[in-house]
Amino acid sequence: MRMEADAFERLVIDELDALPDEMVDGLENVAFVCEDAPEDGSDILGEYQGVALTERDRYGFGELPDRIVVFREPLLRLCADEEELRDEVHITLVHEIGHYYGIDDEELHRLGWA
């Protein structure tokens, strides 16, 4: 599947807007970013870069924002059409937001979000 970076970013924004308020209302100081591919060349679909809420001892003024990165190229390789891409982006966003809240991969798999 092919999709230009700006169209992909709009799709990610649409999927982020479609997430339940209960999931996103607790997000604080988090930047959502679209990148072409992971620097290490892996095929991960997304990545949470930060310190989970359950691991923080303090957080406040002057802290750089955590980042949730969605990787365009691995997602496009995985998906056959836009509907499948939307589903995978949705799952990726939920998965990475789960890490923000301190949910590990094992629990995300159990919940069906991995």
Side-chain angles (χ1 to χ4, degrees):
M1 177 172 184
R2 298 172 68 91
M3 181 178 284
E4 295 297 320
D6 59 336
F8 180 79
E9 187 172 329
R10 284 191 303 273
L11 184 144
V12 171
I13 290 168
D14 289 347
E15 290 306 311
L16 183 58
D17 288 344
L19 293 175
D21 290 342
E22 302 80 36
M23 183 176 293
V24 295
D25 282 350
L27 297 175
E28 189 174 310
N29 202 27
V30 178
F32 287 83
V33 180
C34 295
E35 293 182 1
D36 286 337
E39 288 183 13
D40 65 4
S42 68
D43 276 339
I44 62 171
L45 306 179
E47 181 177 34
Y48 170 66
Q49 300 169 347
V51 178
L53 287 180
T54 55
E55 302 294 318
R56 294 180 184 174
D57 58 352
R58 66 168 190 76
Y59 196 72
F61 181 76
E63 299 287 331
L64 290 175
D66 292 356
R67 291 174 19 119
I68 292 178
V69 184
V70 180
F71 296 110
R72 182 174 64 97
E73 292 172 1
L75 279 158
L76 292 177
R77 281 193 296 275
L78 179 67
C79 300
D81 57 37
E82 188 172 320
E83 182 178 346
E84 186 178 1
L85 178 62
R86 286 185 178 279
D87 289 344
E88 288 298 331
V89 167
H90 183 91
I91 290 168
T92 301
L93 288 169
V94 171
H95 182 100
E96 301 311 330
I97 290 169
H99 286 316
Y100 169 87
Y101 287 117
I103 303 172
D104 64 19
D105 280 331
E106 183 178 317
E107 182 66 8
L108 287 165
H109 278 279
R110 191 185 72 70
L111 295 170
W113 293 109

